Amino acid sequence: MNIFFLVFIGLGIILCLLRMIKGPTTPDRAVAVDTISTITTALLVFLGFIFKRYIYLDVSLVYAVLTFIGVIAIARYLEKGI
Amino acid sequence: MHLAGGIVTGIGTIFLFLGGLGVFRLPDVYNRLQAGTKCTTLGAFLTIIGVGIMEPSWFWKTLLIGIFILLTNPISNHALGRASCKSGVPLCKKSVVNKSKDFCKGETK
C-alpha cells in the first residue's frame, strides 16, 4: 500500500517540475517551487515512517522553517526588491 | 489503528497529487496559486497526521509539524500572490472582474 502513496506524491512533484520548466513568468516558477517544497515536507515524514527512523521528523521540521523563510524572501524580492 | 492511519494518509496523498495537477493545468498565476495552496496545505496536514496515527509514539511531533505547516503555508502563498499582483502579472483572458486593480496599479512605481 505504501507504493501507491509514493506514486501519488511522485506524480505531484513531477507535474510541479514540468510547470517550473514551462512557466511563462517568474511568479509561476516561484509558485511551483513553493508547492514542491511543501510536498517534500510531507514526503520526508512519510519516508521516515517507511524506514522507521525518528530523525527524519527533525529534518522535516527544519526544512519547513527554511522553506517559509525562503519563500518570504523571494516574495519580497519580486515585490520591490530587497 | 494502522488501518485508520492508512486511510488518512491515502486521502492526504490524493490531495497532494491534485495540488500538483492543478499547478500544472490551470491557466493563470492566481488560479495556480489557489490550487497550490489549498490542496497542498490539506494534503500535507493529513499525510503527516496519518503517519502520527500509524506510529502512536510519534504523534505529538507530527502534530507539531502539521500545525506549523497549517499556520505558515497560507502566509507565504499570500505573500507570493501580493508580489505577483504588484509586479504586474496580467489575469487570464477568461477573467470577469478585477477588484484589486487600483491596489496593483497604485504602488507599482
PDB file of all heavy atoms in Angstrom, chain A residues 5 15 19 27-28 31 34-35 38 41 48-49 52-54 57-58 65 75 79, chain B residues 6 10 20 23-24 29 32-33 40 55 58 61 65 69 73 77 82-84 86:
ATOM      1  N   PHE A   5       1.008   5.302  -2.351  1.00  0.00           N
ATOM      2  CA  PHE A   5       1.167   6.641  -1.780  1.00  0.00           C
ATOM      3  C   PHE A   5       2.401   7.332  -2.365  1.00  0.00           C
ATOM      4  O   PHE A   5       2.351   8.506  -2.746  1.00  0.00           O
ATOM      5  CB  PHE A   5       1.304   6.552  -0.261  1.00  0.00           C
ATOM      6  CG  PHE A   5       0.102   5.975   0.427  1.00  0.00           C
ATOM      7  CD1 PHE A   5       0.188   5.529   1.722  1.00  0.00           C
ATOM      8  CD2 PHE A   5      -1.109   5.881  -0.226  1.00  0.00           C
ATOM      9  CE1 PHE A   5      -0.916   5.000   2.366  1.00  0.00           C
ATOM     10  CE2 PHE A   5      -2.217   5.345   0.401  1.00  0.00           C
ATOM     11  CZ  PHE A   5      -2.112   4.907   1.697  1.00  0.00           C
ATOM     12  N   LEU A  15       4.614  16.840 -11.868  1.00  0.00           N
ATOM     13  CA  LEU A  15       3.780  17.852 -12.534  1.00  0.00           C
ATOM     14  C   LEU A  15       4.235  19.266 -12.162  1.00  0.00           C
ATOM     15  O   LEU A  15       4.290  20.156 -13.024  1.00  0.00           O
ATOM     16  CB  LEU A  15       2.319  17.650 -12.157  1.00  0.00           C
ATOM     17  CG  LEU A  15       1.653  16.431 -12.811  1.00  0.00           C
ATOM     18  CD1 LEU A  15       0.277  16.211 -12.248  1.00  0.00           C
ATOM     19  CD2 LEU A  15       1.572  16.653 -14.292  1.00  0.00           C
ATOM     20  N   ARG A  19       5.703  22.347 -14.619  1.00  0.00           N
ATOM     21  CA  ARG A  19       5.267  23.748 -14.596  1.00  0.00           C
ATOM     22  C   ARG A  19       6.447  24.679 -14.351  1.00  0.00           C
ATOM     23  O   ARG A  19       6.528  25.763 -14.921  1.00  0.00           O
ATOM     24  CB  ARG A  19       4.188  23.928 -13.531  1.00  0.00           C
ATOM     25  CG  ARG A  19       3.765  25.334 -13.290  1.00  0.00           C
ATOM     26  CD  ARG A  19       3.387  26.038 -14.557  1.00  0.00           C
ATOM     27  NE  ARG A  19       2.202  25.496 -15.177  1.00  0.00           N
ATOM     28  CZ  ARG A  19       1.837  25.774 -16.408  1.00  0.00           C
ATOM     29  NH1 ARG A  19       2.565  26.595 -17.146  1.00  0.00           N
ATOM     30  NH2 ARG A  19       0.759  25.237 -16.928  1.00  0.00           N
ATOM     31  N   PRO A  27       6.719  34.637 -11.252  1.00  0.00           N
ATOM     32  CA  PRO A  27       5.884  34.136 -10.150  1.00  0.00           C
ATOM     33  C   PRO A  27       5.354  32.729 -10.369  1.00  0.00           C
ATOM     34  O   PRO A  27       5.125  32.013  -9.393  1.00  0.00           O
ATOM     35  CB  PRO A  27       4.740  35.159 -10.075  1.00  0.00           C
ATOM     36  CG  PRO A  27       5.343  36.390 -10.560  1.00  0.00           C
ATOM     37  CD  PRO A  27       6.259  35.987 -11.658  1.00  0.00           C
ATOM     38  N   ASP A  28       5.184  32.289 -11.634  1.00  0.00           N
ATOM     39  CA  ASP A  28       4.792  30.903 -11.882  1.00  0.00           C
ATOM     40  C   ASP A  28       5.817  29.935 -11.322  1.00  0.00           C
ATOM     41  O   ASP A  28       5.486  28.955 -10.650  1.00  0.00           O
ATOM     42  CB  ASP A  28       4.666  30.665 -13.385  1.00  0.00           C
ATOM     43  CG  ASP A  28       3.394  31.220 -13.931  1.00  0.00           C
ATOM     44  OD1 ASP A  28       2.389  31.124 -13.230  1.00  0.00           O
ATOM     45  OD2 ASP A  28       3.421  31.748 -15.051  1.00  0.00           O
ATOM     46  N   VAL A  31       5.729  29.877  -7.517  1.00  0.00           N
ATOM     47  CA  VAL A  31       4.608  29.092  -7.000  1.00  0.00           C
ATOM     48  C   VAL A  31       4.909  27.603  -7.108  1.00  0.00           C
ATOM     49  O   VAL A  31       4.640  26.815  -6.184  1.00  0.00           O
ATOM     50  CB  VAL A  31       3.312  29.459  -7.765  1.00  0.00           C
ATOM     51  CG1 VAL A  31       2.215  28.481  -7.448  1.00  0.00           C
ATOM     52  CG2 VAL A  31       2.873  30.837  -7.410  1.00  0.00           C
ATOM     53  N   ASP A  34       7.360  26.603  -4.414  1.00  0.00           N
ATOM     54  CA  ASP A  34       6.722  26.554  -3.093  1.00  0.00           C
ATOM     55  C   ASP A  34       5.887  25.286  -2.930  1.00  0.00           C
ATOM     56  O   ASP A  34       5.919  24.636  -1.884  1.00  0.00           O
ATOM     57  CB  ASP A  34       5.856  27.794  -2.913  1.00  0.00           C
ATOM     58  CG  ASP A  34       5.235  27.833  -1.544  1.00  0.00           C
ATOM     59  OD1 ASP A  34       5.941  27.508  -0.587  1.00  0.00           O
ATOM     60  OD2 ASP A  34       4.057  28.173  -1.442  1.00  0.00           O
ATOM     61  N   THR A  35       5.153  24.916  -3.998  1.00  0.00           N
ATOM     62  CA  THR A  35       4.350  23.692  -3.934  1.00  0.00           C
ATOM     63  C   THR A  35       5.245  22.460  -3.779  1.00  0.00           C
ATOM     64  O   THR A  35       4.946  21.562  -2.987  1.00  0.00           O
ATOM     65  CB  THR A  35       3.490  23.579  -5.191  1.00  0.00           C
ATOM     66  OG1 THR A  35       2.793  24.795  -5.381  1.00  0.00           O
ATOM     67  CG2 THR A  35       2.494  22.461  -5.060  1.00  0.00           C
ATOM     68  N   THR A  38       6.490  22.162  -0.156  1.00  0.00           N
ATOM     69  CA  THR A  38       5.500  21.676   0.808  1.00  0.00           C
ATOM     70  C   THR A  38       5.250  20.178   0.637  1.00  0.00           C
ATOM     71  O   THR A  38       5.106  19.447   1.618  1.00  0.00           O
ATOM     72  CB  THR A  38       4.197  22.450   0.665  1.00  0.00           C
ATOM     73  OG1 THR A  38       4.488  23.833   0.696  1.00  0.00           O
ATOM     74  CG2 THR A  38       3.258  22.133   1.790  1.00  0.00           C
ATOM     75  N   THR A  41       8.048  18.262   2.288  1.00  0.00           N
ATOM     76  CA  THR A  41       7.948  18.147   3.743  1.00  0.00           C
ATOM     77  C   THR A  41       7.112  16.927   4.153  1.00  0.00           C
ATOM     78  O   THR A  41       7.503  16.157   5.046  1.00  0.00           O
ATOM     79  CB  THR A  41       7.320  19.418   4.312  1.00  0.00           C
ATOM     80  OG1 THR A  41       8.038  20.545   3.832  1.00  0.00           O
ATOM     81  CG2 THR A  41       7.352  19.415   5.800  1.00  0.00           C
ATOM     82  N   GLY A  48      10.330   8.734   6.636  1.00  0.00           N
ATOM     83  CA  GLY A  48      10.696   8.357   7.992  1.00  0.00           C
ATOM     84  C   GLY A  48       9.831   7.239   8.528  1.00  0.00           C
ATOM     85  O   GLY A  48      10.306   6.376   9.270  1.00  0.00           O
ATOM     86  N   PHE A  49       8.546   7.220   8.139  1.00  0.00           N
ATOM     87  CA  PHE A  49       7.681   6.102   8.549  1.00  0.00           C
ATOM     88  C   PHE A  49       8.092   4.812   7.853  1.00  0.00           C
ATOM     89  O   PHE A  49       8.074   3.731   8.467  1.00  0.00           O
ATOM     90  CB  PHE A  49       6.230   6.433   8.234  1.00  0.00           C
ATOM     91  CG  PHE A  49       5.316   5.249   8.372  1.00  0.00           C
ATOM     92  CD1 PHE A  49       5.049   4.712   9.614  1.00  0.00           C
ATOM     93  CD2 PHE A  49       4.747   4.666   7.257  1.00  0.00           C
ATOM     94  CE1 PHE A  49       4.223   3.623   9.744  1.00  0.00           C
ATOM     95  CE2 PHE A  49       3.924   3.578   7.384  1.00  0.00           C
ATOM     96  CZ  PHE A  49       3.656   3.053   8.629  1.00  0.00           C
ATOM     97  N   LYS A  52      11.468   3.647   9.319  1.00  0.00           N
ATOM     98  CA  LYS A  52      11.435   3.553  10.787  1.00  0.00           C
ATOM     99  C   LYS A  52      12.564   4.350  11.438  1.00  0.00           C
ATOM    100  O   LYS A  52      13.245   3.875  12.333  1.00  0.00           O
ATOM    101  CB  LYS A  52      11.500   2.101  11.245  1.00  0.00           C
ATOM    102  CG  LYS A  52      10.331   1.267  10.796  1.00  0.00           C
ATOM    103  CD  LYS A  52       9.098   1.538  11.638  1.00  0.00           C
ATOM    104  CE  LYS A  52       7.968   0.597  11.302  1.00  0.00           C
ATOM    105  NZ  LYS A  52       7.259   0.970  10.088  1.00  0.00           N
ATOM    106  N   ARG A  53      12.787   5.562  10.952  1.00  0.00           N
ATOM    107  CA  ARG A  53      13.813   6.438  11.524  1.00  0.00           C
ATOM    108  C   ARG A  53      13.131   7.672  12.122  1.00  0.00           C
ATOM    109  O   ARG A  53      12.419   8.381  11.424  1.00  0.00           O
ATOM    110  CB  ARG A  53      14.790   6.888  10.438  1.00  0.00           C
ATOM    111  CG  ARG A  53      15.626   5.781   9.885  1.00  0.00           C
ATOM    112  CD  ARG A  53      16.915   5.669  10.637  1.00  0.00           C
ATOM    113  NE  ARG A  53      17.828   4.769   9.974  1.00  0.00           N
ATOM    114  CZ  ARG A  53      17.939   3.479  10.287  1.00  0.00           C
ATOM    115  NH1 ARG A  53      17.162   2.957  11.208  1.00  0.00           N
ATOM    116  NH2 ARG A  53      18.800   2.728   9.662  1.00  0.00           N
ATOM    117  N   TYR A  54      13.386   7.923  13.416  1.00  0.00           N
ATOM    118  CA  TYR A  54      12.737   9.044  14.088  1.00  0.00           C
ATOM    119  C   TYR A  54      13.358  10.373  13.697  1.00  0.00           C
ATOM    120  O   TYR A  54      12.727  11.425  13.795  1.00  0.00           O
ATOM    121  CB  TYR A  54      12.847   8.823  15.598  1.00  0.00           C
ATOM    122  CG  TYR A  54      12.119   9.833  16.439  1.00  0.00           C
ATOM    123  CD1 TYR A  54      10.731   9.830  16.484  1.00  0.00           C
ATOM    124  CD2 TYR A  54      12.809  10.778  17.171  1.00  0.00           C
ATOM    125  CE1 TYR A  54      10.061  10.746  17.247  1.00  0.00           C
ATOM    126  CE2 TYR A  54      12.143  11.696  17.932  1.00  0.00           C
ATOM    127  CZ  TYR A  54      10.774  11.677  17.970  1.00  0.00           C
ATOM    128  OH  TYR A  54      10.112  12.592  18.729  1.00  0.00           O
ATOM    129  N   LEU A  57      11.846  13.250  11.273  1.00  0.00           N
ATOM    130  CA  LEU A  57      10.874  14.272  11.684  1.00  0.00           C
ATOM    131  C   LEU A  57      11.577  15.597  11.963  1.00  0.00           C
ATOM    132  O   LEU A  57      11.077  16.665  11.597  1.00  0.00           O
ATOM    133  CB  LEU A  57      10.120  13.798  12.930  1.00  0.00           C
ATOM    134  CG  LEU A  57       9.259  12.556  12.733  1.00  0.00           C
ATOM    135  CD1 LEU A  57       8.517  12.242  14.013  1.00  0.00           C
ATOM    136  CD2 LEU A  57       8.281  12.770  11.624  1.00  0.00           C
ATOM    137  N   ASP A  58      12.775  15.533  12.581  1.00  0.00           N
ATOM    138  CA  ASP A  58      13.539  16.766  12.823  1.00  0.00           C
ATOM    139  C   ASP A  58      13.958  17.413  11.507  1.00  0.00           C
ATOM    140  O   ASP A  58      13.865  18.638  11.339  1.00  0.00           O
ATOM    141  CB  ASP A  58      14.773  16.451  13.662  1.00  0.00           C
ATOM    142  CG  ASP A  58      14.392  15.928  15.027  1.00  0.00           C
ATOM    143  OD1 ASP A  58      13.294  16.277  15.479  1.00  0.00           O
ATOM    144  OD2 ASP A  58      15.169  15.172  15.618  1.00  0.00           O
ATOM    145  N   VAL A  65      10.715  25.167   8.183  1.00  0.00           N
ATOM    146  CA  VAL A  65      11.085  26.530   8.609  1.00  0.00           C
ATOM    147  C   VAL A  65      11.896  27.233   7.526  1.00  0.00           C
ATOM    148  O   VAL A  65      11.618  28.393   7.165  1.00  0.00           O
ATOM    149  CB  VAL A  65      11.871  26.461   9.925  1.00  0.00           C
ATOM    150  CG1 VAL A  65      12.355  27.823  10.305  1.00  0.00           C
ATOM    151  CG2 VAL A  65      11.029  25.896  11.030  1.00  0.00           C
ATOM    152  N   ALA A  75       9.328  36.467  -2.275  1.00  0.00           N
ATOM    153  CA  ALA A  75       8.181  37.348  -2.481  1.00  0.00           C
ATOM    154  C   ALA A  75       8.564  38.809  -2.264  1.00  0.00           C
ATOM    155  O   ALA A  75       8.152  39.683  -3.030  1.00  0.00           O
ATOM    156  CB  ALA A  75       7.043  36.947  -1.543  1.00  0.00           C
ATOM    157  N   GLU A  79       8.457  41.825  -5.105  1.00  0.00           N
ATOM    158  CA  GLU A  79       7.559  42.957  -4.904  1.00  0.00           C
ATOM    159  C   GLU A  79       8.251  44.278  -5.202  1.00  0.00           C
ATOM    160  O   GLU A  79       7.855  45.017  -6.092  1.00  0.00           O
ATOM    161  CB  GLU A  79       7.050  42.922  -3.473  1.00  0.00           C
ATOM    162  CG  GLU A  79       5.952  43.905  -3.213  1.00  0.00           C
ATOM    163  CD  GLU A  79       5.320  43.662  -1.860  1.00  0.00           C
ATOM    164  OE1 GLU A  79       5.490  42.546  -1.330  1.00  0.00           O
ATOM    165  OE2 GLU A  79       4.684  44.572  -1.350  1.00  0.00           O
TER     166      GLU A  79
ATOM    167  N   GLY B   6      -3.737   4.547   7.694  1.00  0.00           N
ATOM    168  CA  GLY B   6      -3.546   4.341   6.255  1.00  0.00           C
ATOM    169  C   GLY B   6      -4.587   5.077   5.436  1.00  0.00           C
ATOM    170  O   GLY B   6      -4.266   5.667   4.401  1.00  0.00           O
ATOM    171  N   GLY B  10      -3.796   8.053   2.862  1.00  0.00           N
ATOM    172  CA  GLY B  10      -4.197   7.919   1.458  1.00  0.00           C
ATOM    173  C   GLY B  10      -4.952   9.136   0.966  1.00  0.00           C
ATOM    174  O   GLY B  10      -4.694   9.637  -0.137  1.00  0.00           O
ATOM    175  N   GLY B  20      -0.662  19.145  -7.330  1.00  0.00           N
ATOM    176  CA  GLY B  20       0.293  19.178  -8.438  1.00  0.00           C
ATOM    177  C   GLY B  20      -0.390  19.281  -9.785  1.00  0.00           C
ATOM    178  O   GLY B  20       0.037  20.028 -10.666  1.00  0.00           O
ATOM    179  N   VAL B  23      -1.588  22.849 -10.264  1.00  0.00           N
ATOM    180  CA  VAL B  23      -0.494  23.754 -10.615  1.00  0.00           C
ATOM    181  C   VAL B  23      -0.094  23.560 -12.070  1.00  0.00           C
ATOM    182  O   VAL B  23       0.255  24.506 -12.765  1.00  0.00           O
ATOM    183  CB  VAL B  23       0.704  23.530  -9.662  1.00  0.00           C
ATOM    184  CG1 VAL B  23       1.934  24.240 -10.153  1.00  0.00           C
ATOM    185  CG2 VAL B  23       0.371  24.022  -8.295  1.00  0.00           C
ATOM    186  N   PHE B  24      -0.196  22.343 -12.575  1.00  0.00           N
ATOM    187  CA  PHE B  24       0.192  22.132 -13.972  1.00  0.00           C
ATOM    188  C   PHE B  24      -0.881  22.590 -14.944  1.00  0.00           C
ATOM    189  O   PHE B  24      -0.558  23.121 -16.005  1.00  0.00           O
ATOM    190  CB  PHE B  24       0.502  20.654 -14.212  1.00  0.00           C
ATOM    191  CG  PHE B  24       0.928  20.362 -15.610  1.00  0.00           C
ATOM    192  CD1 PHE B  24       2.114  20.887 -16.094  1.00  0.00           C
ATOM    193  CD2 PHE B  24       0.164  19.569 -16.433  1.00  0.00           C
ATOM    194  CE1 PHE B  24       2.511  20.634 -17.379  1.00  0.00           C
ATOM    195  CE2 PHE B  24       0.564  19.315 -17.721  1.00  0.00           C
ATOM    196  CZ  PHE B  24       1.748  19.847 -18.196  1.00  0.00           C
ATOM    197  N   VAL B  29      -1.620  32.672 -13.029  1.00  0.00           N
ATOM    198  CA  VAL B  29      -0.813  32.609 -11.811  1.00  0.00           C
ATOM    199  C   VAL B  29      -1.709  32.483 -10.583  1.00  0.00           C
ATOM    200  O   VAL B  29      -1.440  31.693  -9.683  1.00  0.00           O
ATOM    201  CB  VAL B  29       0.062  33.867 -11.682  1.00  0.00           C
ATOM    202  CG1 VAL B  29       0.890  33.791 -10.433  1.00  0.00           C
ATOM    203  CG2 VAL B  29       0.957  33.984 -12.862  1.00  0.00           C
ATOM    204  N   ARG B  32      -3.379  29.083 -10.257  1.00  0.00           N
ATOM    205  CA  ARG B  32      -2.374  28.108  -9.829  1.00  0.00           C
ATOM    206  C   ARG B  32      -2.038  28.275  -8.354  1.00  0.00           C
ATOM    207  O   ARG B  32      -1.821  27.299  -7.632  1.00  0.00           O
ATOM    208  CB  ARG B  32      -1.105  28.287 -10.652  1.00  0.00           C
ATOM    209  CG  ARG B  32      -1.193  27.677 -11.997  1.00  0.00           C
ATOM    210  CD  ARG B  32      -0.005  28.044 -12.810  1.00  0.00           C
ATOM    211  NE  ARG B  32      -0.335  28.003 -14.208  1.00  0.00           N
ATOM    212  CZ  ARG B  32       0.186  28.800 -15.113  1.00  0.00           C
ATOM    213  NH1 ARG B  32       1.062  29.703 -14.744  1.00  0.00           N
ATOM    214  NH2 ARG B  32      -0.153  28.692 -16.352  1.00  0.00           N
ATOM    215  N   LEU B  33      -2.013  29.535  -7.913  1.00  0.00           N
ATOM    216  CA  LEU B  33      -1.708  29.804  -6.504  1.00  0.00           C
ATOM    217  C   LEU B  33      -2.794  29.237  -5.603  1.00  0.00           C
ATOM    218  O   LEU B  33      -2.489  28.653  -4.553  1.00  0.00           O
ATOM    219  CB  LEU B  33      -1.610  31.310  -6.330  1.00  0.00           C
ATOM    220  CG  LEU B  33      -0.838  31.909  -5.190  1.00  0.00           C
ATOM    221  CD1 LEU B  33       0.583  31.469  -5.274  1.00  0.00           C
ATOM    222  CD2 LEU B  33      -0.909  33.391  -5.306  1.00  0.00           C
ATOM    223  N   THR B  40      -2.434  21.669  -1.223  1.00  0.00           N
ATOM    224  CA  THR B  40      -1.183  21.238  -0.627  1.00  0.00           C
ATOM    225  C   THR B  40      -1.213  21.360   0.886  1.00  0.00           C
ATOM    226  O   THR B  40      -0.659  20.503   1.581  1.00  0.00           O
ATOM    227  CB  THR B  40      -0.044  22.061  -1.203  1.00  0.00           C
ATOM    228  OG1 THR B  40      -0.177  22.068  -2.606  1.00  0.00           O
ATOM    229  CG2 THR B  40       1.270  21.465  -0.840  1.00  0.00           C
ATOM    230  N   GLU B  55       1.964   5.497  13.809  1.00  0.00           N
ATOM    231  CA  GLU B  55       3.004   5.264  14.825  1.00  0.00           C
ATOM    232  C   GLU B  55       2.633   6.088  16.054  1.00  0.00           C
ATOM    233  O   GLU B  55       2.947   7.277  16.109  1.00  0.00           O
ATOM    234  CB  GLU B  55       4.377   5.716  14.296  1.00  0.00           C
ATOM    235  CG  GLU B  55       4.930   4.868  13.212  1.00  0.00           C
ATOM    236  CD  GLU B  55       5.690   3.681  13.762  1.00  0.00           C
ATOM    237  OE1 GLU B  55       6.067   3.732  14.941  1.00  0.00           O
ATOM    238  OE2 GLU B  55       5.901   2.731  13.012  1.00  0.00           O
ATOM    239  N   TRP B  58       4.949   8.684  17.847  1.00  0.00           N
ATOM    240  CA  TRP B  58       5.426   9.872  17.129  1.00  0.00           C
ATOM    241  C   TRP B  58       4.375  10.961  17.071  1.00  0.00           C
ATOM    242  O   TRP B  58       4.578  11.961  16.389  1.00  0.00           O
ATOM    243  CB  TRP B  58       5.781   9.509  15.680  1.00  0.00           C
ATOM    244  CG  TRP B  58       6.932   8.618  15.502  1.00  0.00           C
ATOM    245  CD1 TRP B  58       7.633   7.976  16.468  1.00  0.00           C
ATOM    246  CD2 TRP B  58       7.532   8.253  14.266  1.00  0.00           C
ATOM    247  NE1 TRP B  58       8.612   7.232  15.905  1.00  0.00           N
ATOM    248  CE2 TRP B  58       8.591   7.383  14.565  1.00  0.00           C
ATOM    249  CE3 TRP B  58       7.273   8.592  12.936  1.00  0.00           C
ATOM    250  CZ2 TRP B  58       9.387   6.829  13.585  1.00  0.00           C
ATOM    251  CZ3 TRP B  58       8.058   8.056  11.954  1.00  0.00           C
ATOM    252  CH2 TRP B  58       9.113   7.179  12.275  1.00  0.00           C
ATOM    253  N   LYS B  61       4.989  14.972  17.899  1.00  0.00           N
ATOM    254  CA  LYS B  61       5.896  15.695  16.993  1.00  0.00           C
ATOM    255  C   LYS B  61       5.275  15.885  15.611  1.00  0.00           C
ATOM    256  O   LYS B  61       5.411  16.946  14.999  1.00  0.00           O
ATOM    257  CB  LYS B  61       7.213  14.942  16.867  1.00  0.00           C
ATOM    258  CG  LYS B  61       8.302  15.801  16.319  1.00  0.00           C
ATOM    259  CD  LYS B  61       9.647  15.296  16.747  1.00  0.00           C
ATOM    260  CE  LYS B  61      10.620  16.431  16.837  1.00  0.00           C
ATOM    261  NZ  LYS B  61      11.894  16.001  17.372  1.00  0.00           N
ATOM    262  N   ILE B  65       4.532  19.444  13.560  1.00  0.00           N
ATOM    263  CA  ILE B  65       4.876  19.760  12.169  1.00  0.00           C
ATOM    264  C   ILE B  65       3.623  20.131  11.377  1.00  0.00           C
ATOM    265  O   ILE B  65       3.626  21.088  10.586  1.00  0.00           O
ATOM    266  CB  ILE B  65       5.606  18.572  11.517  1.00  0.00           C
ATOM    267  CG1 ILE B  65       6.881  18.248  12.278  1.00  0.00           C
ATOM    268  CG2 ILE B  65       5.972  18.874  10.081  1.00  0.00           C
ATOM    269  CD1 ILE B  65       7.537  16.991  11.806  1.00  0.00           C
ATOM    270  N   ILE B  69       2.841  23.716   9.473  1.00  0.00           N
ATOM    271  CA  ILE B  69       2.503  23.865   8.050  1.00  0.00           C
ATOM    272  C   ILE B  69       1.171  24.568   7.892  1.00  0.00           C
ATOM    273  O   ILE B  69       1.006  25.446   7.044  1.00  0.00           O
ATOM    274  CB  ILE B  69       2.509  22.491   7.369  1.00  0.00           C
ATOM    275  CG1 ILE B  69       3.940  22.046   7.129  1.00  0.00           C
ATOM    276  CG2 ILE B  69       1.780  22.515   6.046  1.00  0.00           C
ATOM    277  CD1 ILE B  69       4.043  20.728   6.483  1.00  0.00           C
ATOM    278  N   ASN B  73       1.987  27.986   5.690  1.00  0.00           N
ATOM    279  CA  ASN B  73       1.848  27.848   4.237  1.00  0.00           C
ATOM    280  C   ASN B  73       0.903  28.888   3.625  1.00  0.00           C
ATOM    281  O   ASN B  73       1.242  29.472   2.596  1.00  0.00           O
ATOM    282  CB  ASN B  73       1.392  26.420   3.906  1.00  0.00           C
ATOM    283  CG  ASN B  73       1.693  26.030   2.500  1.00  0.00           C
ATOM    284  OD1 ASN B  73       2.434  26.706   1.813  1.00  0.00           O
ATOM    285  ND2 ASN B  73       1.120  24.939   2.059  1.00  0.00           N
ATOM    286  N   ASN B  77       2.093  31.831   0.775  1.00  0.00           N
ATOM    287  CA  ASN B  77       1.415  31.911  -0.518  1.00  0.00           C
ATOM    288  C   ASN B  77       0.705  33.237  -0.698  1.00  0.00           C
ATOM    289  O   ASN B  77       0.629  33.745  -1.819  1.00  0.00           O
ATOM    290  CB  ASN B  77       0.428  30.755  -0.649  1.00  0.00           C
ATOM    291  CG  ASN B  77       1.120  29.503  -1.064  1.00  0.00           C
ATOM    292  OD1 ASN B  77       1.708  29.446  -2.130  1.00  0.00           O
ATOM    293  ND2 ASN B  77       1.085  28.501  -0.227  1.00  0.00           N
ATOM    294  N   ARG B  82       0.493  38.556  -3.445  1.00  0.00           N
ATOM    295  CA  ARG B  82       0.631  40.014  -3.386  1.00  0.00           C
ATOM    296  C   ARG B  82       1.798  40.484  -4.238  1.00  0.00           C
ATOM    297  O   ARG B  82       1.700  41.480  -4.968  1.00  0.00           O
ATOM    298  CB  ARG B  82       0.845  40.396  -1.928  1.00  0.00           C
ATOM    299  CG  ARG B  82       1.009  41.856  -1.640  1.00  0.00           C
ATOM    300  CD  ARG B  82       1.377  41.990  -0.161  1.00  0.00           C
ATOM    301  NE  ARG B  82       1.992  43.275   0.100  1.00  0.00           N
ATOM    302  CZ  ARG B  82       1.331  44.295   0.611  1.00  0.00           C
ATOM    303  NH1 ARG B  82       0.065  44.163   0.888  1.00  0.00           N
ATOM    304  NH2 ARG B  82       1.933  45.433   0.840  1.00  0.00           N
ATOM    305  N   ALA B  83       2.910  39.738  -4.226  1.00  0.00           N
ATOM    306  CA  ALA B  83       4.076  40.116  -5.020  1.00  0.00           C
ATOM    307  C   ALA B  83       3.788  39.997  -6.509  1.00  0.00           C
ATOM    308  O   ALA B  83       4.169  40.865  -7.301  1.00  0.00           O
ATOM    309  CB  ALA B  83       5.269  39.240  -4.644  1.00  0.00           C
ATOM    310  N   SER B  84       3.060  38.935  -6.919  1.00  0.00           N
ATOM    311  CA  SER B  84       2.772  38.790  -8.351  1.00  0.00           C
ATOM    312  C   SER B  84       1.752  39.819  -8.802  1.00  0.00           C
ATOM    313  O   SER B  84       1.760  40.237  -9.959  1.00  0.00           O
ATOM    314  CB  SER B  84       2.284  37.379  -8.652  1.00  0.00           C
ATOM    315  OG  SER B  84       1.073  37.162  -7.992  1.00  0.00           O
ATOM    316  N   LYS B  86       1.623  42.921  -7.548  1.00  0.00           N
ATOM    317  CA  LYS B  86       2.309  44.209  -7.636  1.00  0.00           C
ATOM    318  C   LYS B  86       3.361  44.250  -8.719  1.00  0.00           C
ATOM    319  O   LYS B  86       3.754  45.328  -9.161  1.00  0.00           O
ATOM    320  CB  LYS B  86       2.943  44.535  -6.290  1.00  0.00           C
ATOM    321  CG  LYS B  86       1.940  45.105  -5.324  1.00  0.00           C
ATOM    322  CD  LYS B  86       2.627  45.764  -4.176  1.00  0.00           C
ATOM    323  CE  LYS B  86       1.595  46.406  -3.285  1.00  0.00           C
ATOM    324  NZ  LYS B  86       2.219  47.035  -2.143  1.00  0.00           N
TER     325      LYS B  86
END
